[in-house]
Amino acid sequence: MSLRIDDNCINCDVCEPECPNSAISMGPHIYVIDPNLCTECVGHYDTPQCMEVCPVDCISKDPEHAESPEQLQDKFLQLTGQA
């Protein structure tokens, strides 16, 4: 499933450069994650890098965009042109 950033985001700017898929961008008030680009770092890392660096723990799984590990892998392959 894709990840999401909640209202506890302090706009510290550390998550955006860590995303290997460029899924994180500045929204109207806080950073947001594009569910079409987020693979939870599947294919790149063992754990979501944005969650690793977030100092306020405001990133969690987005239940509105549920995806299995296989679906995340398929998305990674499509995003990298390997599908």
Side-chain angles (χ1 to χ4, degrees):
M1 90 181 34
S2 174
L3 301 175
R4 68 176 174 188
I5 299 173
D6 65 35
D7 291 338
N8 292 320
C9 176
I10 59 172
N11 296 323
C12 67
D13 303 321
V14 298
C15 63
E16 183 180 25
E18 295 300 319
C19 182
N21 296 325
S22 300
I24 301 174
S25 62
M26 189 62 187
H29 304 288
I30 60 172
Y31 279 91
V32 295
I33 298 176
D34 182 339
N36 296 313
L37 298 176
C38 179
T39 62
E40 291 186 43
C41 290
V42 167
H44 296 282
Y45 302 101
D46 292 334
T47 59
Q49 296 302 287
C50 59
M51 293 176 86
E52 293 286 329
V53 299
C54 182
V56 294
D57 196 29
C58 67
I59 303 171
S60 61
K61 294 188 182 255
D62 184 352
E64 293 182 21
H65 296 97
E67 295 170 291
S68 70
E70 294 79 19
Q71 289 172 311
L72 292 170
Q73 180 67 31
D74 288 344
K75 189 192 303 184
F76 163 75
L77 293 173
Q78 289 178 345
L79 290 171
T80 58
Q82 300 177 47

